[in-house]
Structure formats: C-alpha cells, structure tokens
C-alpha cells in the first residue's frame, strides 16, 4: 500500500452511522471504506474522462483507407527519404 496522507473530514450523523455500519459489515476500517468510495467516484474520471466512442477506430480506419485510395498527391513528390527522418529524430536532444 502506498504511503498514507492524513486527511480530516466532517460527516453528518447519518453519514457517520452509515460508514460505521458498512465498514463493520464489510470487515474493513472506516478509512478503507472511505478510500474505496473515493476510488469508485474519482478513478473513472481520471482513467476515462470522455465517453467511449466505439466507432472512432472504424472512422479513422475508413479515413486512412480513403486517403490511401486517392494515391499520391500529383505534383507533390516526397523530397525526403525515410532514413533522413529517422536521422533527424535521433539527432534531437534526448532522441
């Protein structure tokens, strides 16, 4: 378990009774019950702040395929080689 930081919170009488009763029923400390409640409420916001979009990957794939099907842009030949792109990246600090 990571190091714990002490926090002081205020609960209403009904909240305190509920926390005490649930902690006893679940056989955990009141502190552990409160930590679990925070994890359930806060963690989903951190992990996935936006609603899932099941079609996003499919739209991105279709967009890429459409670009690929159009072929090269006429009159705009590539002026660099793949090796040059890697060499430029490796020359950067921390590259």
């Amino acid at each position: 378990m990571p190091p714990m930081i002490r926090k002081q919170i205020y609960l209403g009488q009904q909240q305190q009774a509920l926390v005490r009763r649930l902690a006893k029923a679940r056989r955990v400390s009141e502190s552990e019950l409160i930590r679990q409640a925070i994890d359930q409420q806060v963690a989903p916001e951190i992990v996935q702040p936006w609603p899932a979009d099941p079609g996003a990957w499919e739209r991105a794939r279709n967009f890429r395929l459409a670009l690929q099907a159009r072929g090269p842009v006429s009159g705009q030949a590539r002026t660099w080689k793949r090796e040059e792109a890697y060499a430029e990246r490796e020359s950067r600090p921390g590259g």
Side-chain angles (χ1 to χ4, degrees):
M1 184 179 289
M4 294 289 148
I5 300 169
R6 180 176 165 76
K7 294 289 179 185
Q8 182 175 341
I9 63 169
Y10 292 93
L11 301 175
Q13 289 180 342
Q14 289 179 334
Q15 291 172 321
Q16 172 57 27
L18 180 59
V19 166
R20 184 172 287 147
R21 190 170 50 238
L22 283 174
K24 186 175 181 180
R26 295 180 184 180
R27 297 182 180 184
V28 297
S29 69
E30 292 178 20
S31 296
E32 178 59 25
L33 184 71
I34 292 169
R35 284 191 292 272
Q36 290 173 1
I38 291 170
D39 287 343
Q40 288 175 352
Q41 290 298 310
V42 176
E45 295 291 324
I46 294 170
V47 173
Q48 191 172 22
W50 298 291
D53 184 357
W57 285 109
E58 187 64 26
R59 288 192 302 276
R61 178 180 177 275
N62 291 339
F63 177 74
R64 182 185 54 80
L65 291 174
L67 285 178
Q68 189 176 5
R70 288 177 19 193
V73 178
S74 62
Q76 294 184 3
R78 182 171 55 173
T79 59
W80 52 271
K81 295 181 181 170
R82 180 180 292 187
E83 294 79 20
E84 293 170 342
Y86 287 117
E88 187 277 331
R89 185 175 67 190
E90 289 176 356
S91 69
R92 295 182 204 158

